Amino acid sequence: MEQKETLFSIKSLKEMIIPLFLEQLLVMLVGMADTLIVSYAGEAAVSGVSLVNQFNTIFIYLFTALASGGAVVISQYIGRKADDDAGKSSSQLLSFSAIFSILITVLILIGNKRIIFWMFGKVEDSVMQACVTYLRISAYSYPALAIYNAGAALFRSMGKTNVTMYLSVASNIINVIGNLIGVFIFHAGVAGVAYPSLVARGFSAVMITVLCFQRKNEVFYHFKWIVRWNGEHMRQILKIAIPNGIENGVFQLVKVALSSIVALFGTYQIAANGVAQSIWSLAALAGVAMGPIFITVIGQCMGNGDADAAEHYFKRLTRITLLISSAWNLLIFLLTPFFMKFYALQPETKRLVIWLVLIHNVFNAAAYPFSGALSNGLRAAGDVKFTMYVSVISTIAVRLLLSWFLGIVLKMGVIGIAIAMVCDWSIRAVIFFWRQKSGKWKTFQVI
């Protein structure tokens, strides 16, 4: 046990967990501030930003999946003390992320109007113009976003989550100040909130890349590794990234389908669901923040060939996630009636929001640590296909089909959607917990 404790002490785990949690919280709060500022740019601007952000989320998840694949490989090489191989993998991740994101940017810039029409149908001219403007400027920021994620994967794999936290603070300050200037001083509408995001993402990408080149890091970028294609390292990264990307892609498509189902339930239920989702996002922070910790810790243990240590940290990190998630979800639920005072909603709608938050938070505390965070540990061990198959099947068969049955057939409305969501989590939680206890993840190999 003492040898295991020397790998990641309680102090070192805290130094990873706290910055990641604060970073996610900051991003959430800034997102809320952005929404508020955009509302002053007019209804067309709000509609355009809202619609395009649904589309942007698809690529954000793709870049995140790619970075997560890189993080697993880098963590395993660090655990093996193969710092040069870790540096080569991180450099290849940077190269591929940059090329992949530039290609996507070019495609978006060529077909932006057609893409918007294909996704959202015929919208008002003012909204269409807002969509085109916001999508075009957003597309310019895709390479910066992908490059930042690649660098963040490197620092998180080394356990230096405070670096990404400080960068997040700086870039979000730039974003908020830029939005205020763009909307209230230049009255630039959609462009006034789009360009600050571009500048903030560009700043983050440049800064993280500069830091990744520093030789004082145990793992760093090297120019010769960036320009030279390394098929073996990219194969290892894509082996994790592709299943993760498929899983996230299916999840996003199901979310779009669920939005269509919610639209059938009437104004007050749609409003309650929208408000509840914003509170759900805040409540989910604890579980989401623990995901990269599982990747770093389990990845390094498996890279070191120490499956017993990985099993030890599976248990420890799961306990920590349950504790943090339970406390955080309870706090957010207790604050929900206070949040409701800021919304101009009918009492019936507010009561529905509170019920939705209660359903979400109970299961987010009890089930999501296993269905979400723990599944990242399985991926870090190389058990990626199993987690992908379970997640995809559960998302479609449980979350989507059960939402239709409960919400429409049994006429439970958005309560039915929420119950289907937590059933999805619960089923995955049981399966992933069984998978972790079975030890089959110990037989997989990433590097």
Side-chain angles (χ1 to χ4, degrees):
M1 183 68 69
E2 290 181 4
Q3 184 180 1
K4 295 182 181 68
E5 293 299 330
T6 60
L7 294 173
F8 296 96
S9 65
I10 289 292
K11 182 175 181 291
S12 65
L13 289 175
K14 284 181 180 177
E15 289 173 350
M16 286 191 285
I17 294 168
I18 293 173
L20 263 176
F21 179 80
L22 293 176
E23 180 184 346
Q24 294 294 327
L25 179 59
L26 175 67
V27 170
M28 179 64 58
L29 293 175
V30 169
M32 294 167 67
D34 277 355
T35 303
L36 179 63
I37 295 169
V38 170
S39 68
Y40 286 92
E43 290 185 3
V46 174
S47 300
V49 170
S50 175
L51 290 172
V52 172
N53 275 339
Q54 293 180 38
F55 183 70
N56 283 341
T57 302
I58 296 171
F59 297 105
I60 290 171
Y61 271 89
L62 281 177
F63 301 145
T64 302
L66 183 58
S68 295
V72 170
V73 174
I74 296 164
S75 295
Q76 289 216 2
Y77 275 126
I78 291 173
R80 189 179 283 189
K81 309 298 182 187
D83 291 347
D84 276 0
D85 283 315
K88 290 174 183 176
S89 294
S90 60
S91 298
Q92 287 293 292
L93 176 62
L94 172 65
S95 299
F96 190 86
S97 297
I99 295 168
F100 179 57
S101 58
I102 289 170
L103 288 174
I104 289 175
T105 297
V106 171
L107 291 174
I108 298 300
L109 292 175
I110 292 172
N112 47 41
K113 283 188 177 180
R114 285 189 292 273
I115 290 169
I116 292 168
F117 182 78
W118 174 69
M119 288 199 66
F120 308 118
K122 180 67 176 173
V123 296
E124 294 179 14
D125 290 341
S126 59
V127 175
M128 173 61 80
Q129 187 56 48
C131 285
V132 170
T133 300
Y134 193 70
L135 179 58
R136 178 172 51 81
I137 300 171
S138 294
Y140 288 132
S141 74
Y142 288 170
L145 189 59
I147 289 168
Y148 171 77
N149 280 344
L154 172 55
F155 273 98
R156 288 170 184 163
S157 298
M158 293 189 290
K160 298 179 179 180
T161 56
N162 61 322
V163 172
T164 56
M165 181 191 71
Y166 291 136
L167 278 179
S168 182
V169 170
S171 65
N172 280 302
I173 288 173
I174 292 170
N175 190 26
V176 171
I177 293 175
N179 285 346
L180 291 170
I181 293 171
V183 172
F184 295 112
I185 295 179
F186 292 121
H187 304 289
V190 169
V193 295
Y195 279 116
S197 295
L198 172 60
V199 172
R201 288 173 176 175
F203 166 82
S204 296
V206 170
M207 290 303 299
I208 196 96
T209 303
V210 170
L211 292 171
C212 285
F213 271 105
Q214 291 186 337
R215 297 294 182 94
K216 66 180 181 180
N217 299 324
E218 58 181 304
V219 179
F220 51 84
Y221 289 160
H222 199 298
F223 185 74
K224 68 179 180 182
W225 295 334
I226 293 172
V227 297
R228 186 182 304 158
W229 178 259
N230 189 316
E232 177 61 21
H233 285 97
M234 274 313 307
R235 183 193 64 79
Q236 293 167 348
I237 291 171
L238 294 176
K239 181 181 175 183
I240 307 294
I242 290 175
N244 202 11
I246 292 171
E247 180 182 329
N248 287 333
V250 170
F251 178 72
Q252 288 304 309
L253 290 173
V254 168
K255 278 185 69 176
V256 172
L258 290 177
S259 297
S260 301
I261 293 176
V262 170
L264 302 173
F265 297 147
T267 303
Y268 104 92
Q269 291 206 47
I270 295 171
N273 186 72
V275 173
Q277 284 199 353
S278 65
I279 300 174
W280 289 354
S281 298
L282 188 61
L285 280 179
V288 171
M290 287 300 296
I293 306 297
F294 271 86
I295 290 176
T296 298
V297 173
I298 303 303
Q300 287 196 25
C301 289
M302 294 303 290
N304 193 36
D306 195 343
D308 289 340
E311 188 162 22
H312 167 75
Y313 283 109
F314 256 121
K315 295 174 182 176
R316 164 157 284 184
L317 289 174
T318 301
R319 287 196 299 269
I320 292 172
T321 307
L322 281 167
L323 179 62
I324 296 174
S325 290
S326 297
W328 182 249
N329 276 277
L330 176 60
L331 174 63
I332 297 302
F333 178 69
L334 293 176
L335 288 173
T336 298
F338 173 73
F339 294 154
M340 289 299 94
K341 293 180 180 180
F342 295 92
Y343 289 92
L345 300 172
Q346 295 297 319
E348 183 184 18
T349 306
K350 290 183 178 181
R351 282 195 296 273
L352 182 55
V353 170
I354 291 172
W355 274 109
L356 289 170
V357 172
L358 176 62
I359 294 168
H360 172 277
N361 285 24
V362 167
F363 287 89
N364 192 263
Y368 191 77
F370 299 98
S371 66
L374 184 140
S375 67
N376 277 298
L378 294 174
R379 293 184 190 96
D383 198 2
V384 287
K385 288 186 178 179
F386 179 83
T387 55
M388 179 191 70
Y389 291 140
V390 170
S391 297
V392 168
I393 293 170
S394 182
T395 299
I396 295 172
V398 180
R399 183 173 295 210
L400 181 59
L401 296 182
L402 192 59
S403 291
W404 168 78
F405 181 72
L406 295 177
I408 297 176
V409 177
L410 297 187
K411 299 181 179 179
M412 295 176 67
V414 292
I415 291 289
I417 302 283
I419 291 172
M421 172 181 67
V422 300
C423 285
D424 173 30
W425 289 348
S426 300
I427 289 170
R428 277 194 273 174
V430 171
I431 294 172
F432 290 147
F433 180 70
W434 165 80
R435 185 70 166 185
Q436 188 273 316
K437 295 294 286 184
S438 73
K440 291 184 179 180
W441 51 271
K442 296 178 184 179
T443 63
F444 291 90
Q445 191 173 9
V446 175
I447 60 174

